[in-house]
Amino acid sequence: MINSNLLTVRDLKKYFDTRAGFLKKPAPVHAVDGVNLNVGQKDVLGLVGESGCGKSTLGRSILRLIEPTSGEIIFDGEDMMKVDNRRLRALRRKMQIIFQDPFSSLNPRKRVIDTVGEPFIIYGMAKGKALKERVVSILEKVGLSSDSLYRYPHEFSGGQRQRIGIARALAVEPVFIVADEPLSALDVSIQAQIINLLQELQTSLGISFLFISHDLKVVRHFSERVTVMYLGIIVETGKTEDIFTNPQHPYTEALLTAIPMPDPSTKRKKIILAGDVPNPAQIPPGCRFHPRCPKRIEPCDKIRPKTTDLGGGHSVECHLRG
Ligand code: SF4
């Protein structure tokens, strides 16, 4: 069970139009295709799946950084899809994003004080000396000194740039952060520092996270619950330990067997999935995982399975568990 809900997403869809050849009807790309999820207060929900399954599009759609096609996004009791622009701007202050690539997400012409201080100015929260003091205070929270204030992004290492990105996200005191593969552009040696920093901040500030990552070891370390996405839909959700020790969906099982074991003498049979994630403009009928599923049975290629509630917050979409 999660703490009281901060975010509820219902049947969220994001379709992109594609250009097709002359006289051909465009086939929409079903990047996010009817997602339901909840994030509680002070909760960390890990979102996993292969590249191209729609994780980043889902994260950005929830924040309305890209406009969803349809669905509901109830944040702090308000439907983000129905509020006017003024209210949306106010709600956005409480919802921030940390991007994957700390270099391209920072403006190379802006000094740290301008980058981290900008949200204060946008929301009219501080200026002048007060702004500088608040920026210094946030930099300290993320482990950067006041010497950083007047320096430019290229003067920092990758890990330090990600700290600046985190500082900017924290500036407006958010209660919810989408962290979109925040470690994948960093050296392995730096990744542990950044994940420890996020964990410290999450605990001390009580921020809820949607933590998007393809690195399951990191997700297990950071997340209280995990949701697994495949080809635009959620196929399994549960408490982190349930998902890692008792996965119920064949796709989750396959993802888990790809994690290297810490003890090389421990043998685990790796499940190799055939092919890549299919083109989201050509969704397979029935269970959309069936062309790659090693356990598929008779109705899988014709009938989409329903979501089965397994109890204890664990749910799965698979005929084997229906
Ligand atoms: Fe595999 Fe069938 Fe379950 Fe889909 S519904 S994951 S094809 S067993």
Side-chain angles (χ1 to χ4, degrees):
M1 281 292 128
I2 58 172
N3 299 324
S4 56
N5 264 0
L6 176 67
L7 173 76
T8 302
V9 171
R10 290 195 199 109
D11 200 21
L12 192 68
K13 295 181 181 162
K14 177 62 192 174
Y15 296 168
F16 296 99
D17 284 333
T18 51
R19 297 216 168 270
F22 185 59
L23 290 181
K24 275 198 193 151
K25 210 172 156 218
V29 170
H30 295 213
V32 175
D33 202 7
V35 163
N36 299 303
L37 59 80
N38 295 308
V39 179
Q41 311 271 359
K42 303 180 184 175
D43 188 18
V44 179
L45 178 65
L47 174 60
V48 303
E50 293 161 286
S51 298
C53 70
K55 304 187 297 294
S56 291
T57 305
L58 174 58
R60 284 164 168 75
S61 299
I62 289 172
L63 300 181
R64 283 191 60 190
L65 294 176
I66 51 179
E67 202 51 45
T69 304
S70 63
E72 284 182 1
I73 306 165
I74 313 293
F75 177 71
D76 215 8
E78 289 185 76
D79 190 341
M80 299 259 302
M81 296 288 279
K82 292 193 177 142
V83 294
D84 61 23
N85 284 345
R86 203 159 150 238
R87 191 67 201 134
L88 180 62
R89 194 165 160 265
L91 287 173
R92 279 233 184 93
R93 190 185 136 188
K94 300 185 195 173
M95 314 171 87
Q96 295 291 311
I97 185 164
I98 298 169
F99 292 99
Q100 173 177 353
D101 182 348
F103 197 65
S104 60
S105 65
L106 298 175
N107 185 332
R109 289 192 211 93
K110 282 190 174 172
R111 303 168 303 176
V112 170
I113 187 167
D114 304 318
T115 294
V116 180
E118 188 175 55
F120 289 115
I121 294 169
I122 291 173
Y123 289 103
M125 294 164 69
K127 57 183 180 182
K129 192 166 164 244
L131 182 142
K132 184 177 165 187
E133 283 169 6
R134 291 187 73 168
V135 172
V136 169
S137 156
I138 292 169
L139 290 178
E140 279 171 4
K141 275 199 184 99
V142 300
L144 291 171
S145 74
S146 55
D147 297 347
S148 315
L149 273 180
Y150 299 103
R151 291 163 62 194
Y152 290 89
H154 72 270
E155 299 176 64
F156 295 90
S157 68
Q160 288 170 323
R161 285 196 292 263
Q162 192 55 296
R163 286 172 192 265
I164 297 167
I166 295 169
R168 183 183 158 92
L170 291 179
V172 284
E173 299 171 359
V175 293
F176 173 66
I177 291 180
V178 172
D180 187 4
E181 299 273 9
L183 309 179
S184 57
L186 303 176
D187 288 346
V188 175
S189 57
I190 307 296
Q191 288 182 2
Q193 291 176 21
I194 297 296
I195 196 67
N196 288 340
L197 171 65
L198 289 176
Q199 203 154 33
E200 274 167 39
L201 293 169
Q202 198 273 327
T203 310
S204 62
L205 303 176
I207 299 170
S208 301
F209 276 84
L210 179 65
F211 185 75
I212 302 172
S213 180
H214 65 275
D215 185 336
L216 290 148
K217 274 196 303 184
V218 174
V219 168
R220 186 175 194 173
H221 179 72
F222 188 50
S223 309
E224 287 172 37
R225 298 181 303 122
V226 174
T227 194
V228 183
M229 192 166 184
Y230 184 76
L231 204 53
I233 62 168
I234 300 297
V235 295
E236 185 165 8
T237 300
K239 287 184 198 146
T240 302
E241 277 317 295
D242 288 345
I243 294 289
F244 278 81
T245 58
N246 186 26
Q248 295 295 309
H249 196 283
Y251 180 59
T252 313
E253 284 180 59
L255 288 181
L256 294 180
T257 65
I259 307 175
M261 296 298 283
D263 176 0
S265 66
T266 312
K267 293 265 180 279
R268 182 169 59 185
K269 194 161 179 276
K270 191 168 177 182
I271 303 171
I272 311 270
L273 292 177
D276 297 322
V277 180
N279 181 348
Q282 291 163 355
I283 303 283
C287 168
R288 48 188 77 189
F289 184 55
H290 86 261
R292 303 172 76 198
C293 181
K295 295 187 174 175
R296 68 178 166 265
I297 50 175
E298 179 49 41
C300 297
D301 60 346
K302 296 180 191 70
I303 302 170
R304 180 174 170 181
K306 291 196 168 60
T307 300
T308 305
D309 184 349
L310 303 170
H314 198 164
S315 60
V316 66
E317 185 178 308
C318 173
H319 286 302
L320 296 174
R321 315 295 172 206

